[in-house]
Amino acid sequence: MVRTSIGATPYMLAYGTEAVILAEIEIPSLRVIQEAELDDAEWVKSRYEQLALIDRKRMNVVCHSQLYQNRMSRAFNKRVKPRKFTPGQLVLKKIFPYQDEAKGKFSPNLKGPYMVHRVLTGGALILAEMDGEVWPKPINADAV
């Protein structure tokens, strides 16, 4: 801050008071404490109360967000229908637009049939061609 020879800032000369930024009101600086003429004990007490209030608000927000997430997951999981796959089952594989097999607007969306060779945990499958050739990489069960 630029100060004049009498120790006042240009803001003080123009408006008759010092400028205080918003952060200094929330977290009082030494200058704000001296202007408010609080003693150390009062300042420490008020600061402790402010910090306790912030902690309570933060805990309320965390609890609220956890409740909201639980409510949203329950609503989503209500509509999910689990699909069970067994080895030997015949399936069709989706062709996604970013894959090389997607040739255009009127090309088929599914490819196959494939046979489920193995069911892995977490919803992954190892597929095999109809001639028995096993794919080296697993595929997500959502894609069949």
Side-chain angles (χ1 to χ4, degrees):
M1 242 186 249
V2 179
R3 294 201 178 265
T4 60
S5 60
I6 58 174
T9 62
Y11 192 90
M12 174 72 164
L13 294 174
Y15 298 103
T17 183
E18 276 300 329
V20 178
I21 61 174
L22 188 60
E24 285 184 313
I25 294 171
E26 290 295 323
I27 304 169
S29 65
L30 183 60
R31 179 172 61 119
V32 173
I33 293 169
Q34 287 174 344
E35 287 177 6
E37 297 177 354
L38 295 173
D39 65 350
D40 289 341
E42 289 178 26
W43 180 81
V44 168
K45 181 181 175 193
S46 68
R47 185 71 182 134
Y48 180 76
E49 290 171 357
Q50 289 173 352
L51 291 174
L53 180 64
I54 289 172
D55 285 340
R56 274 185 266 140
K57 285 183 179 180
R58 185 176 294 137
M59 287 304 296
N60 285 341
V61 168
V62 167
C63 291
H64 179 72
S65 67
Q66 285 177 348
L67 289 172
Y68 177 75
Q69 286 176 352
N70 290 341
R71 197 167 48 233
M72 292 302 290
S73 67
R74 273 196 311 272
F76 177 79
N77 290 336
K78 244 189 252 183
R79 294 177 298 216
V80 173
K81 295 176 184 166
R83 294 188 297 177
K84 302 288 184 195
F85 293 98
T86 58
Q89 183 179 359
L90 296 178
V91 294
L92 296 173
K93 184 182 88 63
K94 289 181 187 175
I95 299 174
F96 293 104
Y98 56 83
Q99 291 176 324
D100 294 335
E101 298 149 353
K103 302 248 190 276
K105 186 175 184 177
F106 298 109
S107 64
N109 296 332
L110 300 171
K111 187 176 179 183
Y114 297 101
M115 189 169 46
V116 176
H117 181 70
R118 219 169 79 197
V119 179
L120 303 174
T121 58
L125 304 171
I126 294 186
L127 299 180
E129 302 277 346
M130 291 306 293
D131 61 1
E133 182 184 342
V134 179
W135 286 16
K137 290 185 180 180
I139 187 168
N140 195 342
D142 293 343
V144 294

